[in-house]
Amino acid sequence: MILVLPVVLWMIIFNYLPMLGLIIAFKEYDPFLGPLKGFLESRWVGIDNFKEMFMDKYFWQAFWNTIYYSVLNLIVGFPFAILFAILLNEIQSMWYKRFVQTVSYLPYFISWVFVIGYIYIILADNGIVNDILLKLHIIDKPIPFLVTPDFVPPIVVLSNLWKSFGWNAIIFIAAITNIDPTLFEAAIVDGAGRFARIRYVTLPSIKPTIIILLIFNIAGIMTNYGMFEQMYLLSNGAIQDATEIIDTYTFKIGIVLSRFSYATAVGLFRSVAAVVLLVCANSISKKLTGESLY
Amino acid sequence: MRIRRRSTGDIVFDILNNLFMLIIVIITLYPFYYIIISSFNDPIDLLKGPVYLWPRKFSVVNYIYIFQEKAILNATFITVARTVIGSATAVLFTAAFAYGISRKWLIGRKLFIKMAIVTMYFSGGLIPTYLLITRFLNLAGNFLVFIIPNLFNAYNAFIMYSFFKGIPVEIEESAKIDGANDIIIFFKLILPLSLPILATIALFNGVWHWNSWFDALLYGEGKLETLPLYLVRAIQSATASAAEAGRFVSTTGITSTSIRLTTMVVTTFPITIVYPFLQKYFVKGIMIGALKD
């Protein structure tokens, strides 16, 4: 009891008090009222903050960008992690297999600051990418990658893939390792080749894992903390419209411009959308496949 | 028993597959290598074009500059301090909770578990948390702002929880007969038995603290700059106004690019060094967490 209570108290202060603080989404928070009074005595404004949000084209831009990049990341990253796990399992040399796996999730532990810093250096006018393209005479003057909105989606997706594929594959690798080896042996006896074994043994065996993770990923489309760092660091004046997501929008409105109530409303909307997504993804999967989170 | 009859197709598959993995390894490791060789190249010479495999004009001026720069030394100190203190306290704090809820006789156990689960899916979000820390707790500008808000994490707690559940109750019962109380049991019996999981969570916390810059930006008030935040500013200066960029131009022939490169090496170095030694622990740890679901 003595061990647990301090943590419970901590949760109440750091998790549950901010949840109560969400009421300022329905108020016009007045910072000059003082800490507690600001929450209690600020004027109620009903859903005015939400109305304003729905009228704001920058909000919608951030909203669609969030979904767009999340879905792109999912379409590219999710199958790649499965493919990597399956192919890694086919490597015969244990030493090589372990080495590749260890290397593959190193980037997960490296900060976004490093990743974006690297991108800034290789995609600069005199960076490695332009240098190669120039030397191969594919282009005759450097492409300004970092200030061209069209390059934002590929940069976002590829950097995310680099950083997370190994980590995302861990669970699939674990699932494949848990497959009963007699299934493979039986398939070999039946004359199944490499691809047939992958198709009829490996894939069906890891299907429940794939579905559960897909639900998690779809549910997480609106909430992705890593994406804040990635987009915030990548952003600059020239590509701002393409890099704005809900998190960076909330940060700008709330912290930079100190519009606390409005930014809280945006955050609350995002949380609700995330829960709706989770419930929907879960029930669709339950209906189609019988797999569900709860 | 294993039947081995490799057809030509199998051999071709194996060769291509091994090649594919080799390409993945190169793509994953090359950025680190590239940053290192570029940081050891003469900064002015680097303006001529990128180096690919080896420094064109070897030089350590970047490192001499970096290790004399007061802001970086200061940021390094803060980052090391928050990583060490922050992960040690968070591991103990989270373990205390995880151990508590793993014992069936704890009063209110179900409620506490539910409370922790809720925090994984709902939160007040950025603004209420920001107001809590800056207005109510007045932690802005205080070093403790890095430690206290990060003491507990529900995901980590549940990974530890599934580990503690496996420790038999008999161990505690015999200790209790000898007159030990819960706190003594926790520190003297449970923690020493749980070193692999503690190491895993410590690593997660450590990496998280080491890489953190956003809380330093929000709550640092300019005086609590961490190493990654320094790097953030260095990166942003690449596209920011001349005035901001001026902070990184010096008379010693150092360019802002070379400062970025060198800071990147310095900030990433510790993780890449400890990583190979610790990775087998965290893979085990994450498996425990994954199998629970």
Side-chain angles (χ1 to χ4, degrees):
Chain A
M1 216 53 185
I2 295 171
L3 292 169
V4 174
L5 284 183
V7 184
V8 174
L9 189 68
W10 184 98
M11 275 200 275
I12 290 170
I13 295 171
F14 285 96
N15 294 126
Y16 288 92
L17 274 186
M19 286 184 210
L20 286 180
L22 284 170
I23 55 162
I24 62 165
F26 304 96
K27 290 185 163 206
E28 194 51 65
Y29 180 81
D30 182 351
F32 298 107
L33 281 174
L36 191 60
K37 275 188 174 175
F39 282 90
L40 298 176
E41 292 175 17
S42 287
R43 192 168 54 89
W44 289 100
V45 294
I47 55 164
D48 284 5
N49 287 318
F50 293 91
K51 274 192 202 152
E52 186 189 341
M53 180 176 88
F54 289 130
M55 306 280 261
D56 182 4
K57 80 174 164 82
Y58 294 107
F59 164 76
W60 285 112
Q61 192 171 48
F63 178 79
W64 290 118
N65 279 346
T66 307
I67 294 178
Y68 177 60
Y69 295 124
S70 291
V71 171
L72 271 188
N73 280 335
L74 192 60
I75 290 174
V76 176
F78 196 74
F80 189 84
I82 299 173
L83 179 80
F84 173 70
I86 290 174
L87 291 181
L88 186 73
N89 186 55
E90 299 290 327
I91 295 285
Q92 312 286 325
S93 151
M94 274 314 282
W95 172 87
Y96 190 45
K97 191 172 163 181
R98 227 174 266 154
F99 172 70
V100 176
Q101 203 192 346
T102 304
V103 168
S104 75
Y105 40 62
L106 172 64
Y108 179 82
F109 292 93
I110 300 302
S111 68
W112 270 117
V113 192
F114 178 93
V115 180
I116 301 297
Y118 176 70
I119 288 172
Y120 262 77
I121 285 163
I122 60 163
L123 292 183
D125 284 356
N126 62 350
I128 197 166
V129 176
N130 273 317
D131 194 57
I132 291 173
L133 292 176
L134 284 168
K135 276 183 183 149
L136 293 175
H137 299 289
I138 295 172
I139 52 171
D140 42 50
K141 62 177 196 317
I143 302 172
F145 291 105
L146 294 164
V147 289
T148 314
D150 287 348
F151 286 111
V152 172
I155 292 173
V156 168
V157 172
L158 290 177
S159 58
N160 194 59
L161 186 68
W162 183 83
K163 201 169 180 318
S164 61
F165 80 94
W167 186 257
N168 291 340
I170 287 186
I171 284 184
F172 297 119
I173 293 169
I176 292 172
T177 315
N178 285 337
I179 299 173
D180 184 355
T182 55
L183 286 178
F184 286 107
E185 281 158 18
I188 295 171
V189 172
D190 289 345
R194 266 318 211 330
F195 291 105
R197 267 176 274 157
I198 290 172
R199 196 173 152 196
Y200 295 108
V201 182
T202 314
L203 273 177
S205 305
I206 61 171
K207 193 177 141 201
T209 315
I210 293 179
I211 290 166
I212 293 283
L213 283 178
L214 196 58
I215 302 175
F216 262 119
N217 277 295
I218 291 172
I221 279 176
M222 296 297 292
T223 46
N224 185 340
Y225 180 70
M227 202 144 111
F228 171 82
E229 293 201 17
Q230 187 186 15
M231 295 312 222
Y232 180 85
L233 296 169
L234 191 61
S235 186
N236 60 59
I239 54 171
Q240 210 168 319
D241 288 351
T243 52
E244 196 81 291
I245 55 169
I246 290 191
D247 284 328
T248 54
Y249 178 77
T250 314
F251 173 73
K252 272 180 205 159
I253 299 280
I255 307 290
V256 180
L257 302 176
S258 293
R259 296 196 54 202
F260 297 125
S261 282
Y262 180 67
T264 306
V266 176
L268 180 58
F269 173 80
R270 193 191 68 159
S271 303
V272 172
V275 172
V276 170
L277 266 176
L278 177 71
V279 173
C280 286
N282 195 50
S283 62
I284 289 172
S285 144
K286 208 188 245 171
K287 229 174 235 152
L288 292 180
T289 63
E291 304 283 347
S292 69
L293 283 180
Y294 50 84
Chain B
M1 179 198 74
R2 192 148 178 199
I3 300 155
R4 274 258 185 176
R5 196 171 53 88
R6 278 156 63 92
S7 65
T8 331
D10 277 351
I11 293 167
V12 172
F13 178 92
D14 281 333
I15 291 172
L16 289 180
N17 197 19
N18 277 288
L19 262 178
F20 175 72
M21 292 301 161
L22 187 65
I23 292 169
I24 284 192
V25 168
I26 291 171
I27 290 175
T28 311
L29 292 182
Y30 186 68
F32 300 100
Y33 181 72
Y34 177 76
I35 297 299
I36 292 170
I37 54 169
S38 304
S39 73
F40 279 108
N41 198 61
D42 182 72
I44 306 294
D45 176 76
L46 197 63
L47 294 174
K48 281 190 253 163
V51 293
Y52 289 88
L53 289 174
W54 206 245
R56 212 170 17 231
K57 203 174 155 196
F58 185 84
S59 158
V60 290
V61 289
N62 290 329
Y63 289 91
I64 293 172
Y65 174 82
I66 280 263
F67 288 118
Q68 285 170 351
E69 167 85 16
K70 254 190 109 187
I72 291 188
L73 292 179
N74 197 28
T76 308
F77 177 73
I78 289 177
T79 308
V80 170
R82 73 172 289 181
T83 302
V84 173
I85 300 170
S87 26
T89 50
V91 166
L92 273 185
F93 199 71
T94 309
F97 180 81
Y99 170 66
I101 59 170
S102 75
R103 304 293 107 171
K104 295 249 154 47
W105 40 261
L106 179 79
I107 303 157
R109 177 174 171 265
K110 288 234 164 85
L111 172 74
F112 298 147
I113 291 177
K114 271 188 197 132
M115 277 179 80
I117 291 176
V118 167
T119 66
M120 303 201 300
Y121 294 98
F122 302 94
S123 75
L126 178 68
I127 304 300
T129 309
Y130 175 79
L131 292 174
L132 173 80
I133 286 174
T134 56
R135 304 280 154 109
F136 283 82
L137 303 173
N138 272 320
L139 283 174
N142 185 333
F143 179 74
L144 289 175
V145 79
F146 295 141
I147 309 299
I148 298 174
N150 301 313
L151 276 176
F152 179 75
N153 176 295
Y155 287 98
N156 292 344
F158 284 115
I159 292 177
M160 286 180 161
Y161 165 68
S162 46
F163 183 90
F164 289 140
K165 265 199 308 196
I167 297 178
V169 212
E170 287 76 19
I171 292 180
E172 294 155 26
E173 281 165 359
S174 67
K176 268 190 189 151
I177 294 167
D178 294 340
N181 64 26
D182 289 348
I183 303 218
I184 292 175
I185 291 174
F186 177 65
F187 281 102
K188 291 245 159 110
L189 279 174
I190 303 299
L191 289 188
L193 281 173
S194 318
L195 286 180
I197 199 72
L198 296 181
T200 305
I201 304 300
L203 176 76
F204 284 157
N205 277 308
V207 169
W208 192 87
H209 271 291
W210 184 266
N211 285 337
S212 284
W213 55 272
F214 188 54
D215 55 358
L217 177 73
L218 279 182
Y219 308 122
E221 296 193 327
K223 46 186 175 172
L224 292 174
E225 194 169 65
T226 62
L227 212 41
L229 183 59
Y230 182 89
L231 186 54
V232 168
R233 295 199 204 281
I235 289 169
Q236 287 180 331
S237 72
T239 52
S241 66
E244 174 69 12
R247 192 180 153 191
F248 294 99
V249 172
S250 76
T251 51
T252 51
I254 310 278
T255 65
S256 60
T257 306
S258 68
I259 291 180
R260 261 181 276 145
L261 284 163
T262 318
T263 317
M264 282 165 73
V265 174
V266 173
T267 52
T268 315
F269 185 70
I271 290 182
T272 42
I273 290 302
V274 299
Y275 172 80
F277 299 102
L278 290 169
Q279 59 96 12
K280 65 169 192 259
Y281 287 112
F282 68 70
V283 172
K284 229 180 269 166
I286 203 69
M287 295 297 183
I288 296 169
L291 294 178
K292 175 186 65 88
D293 289 319

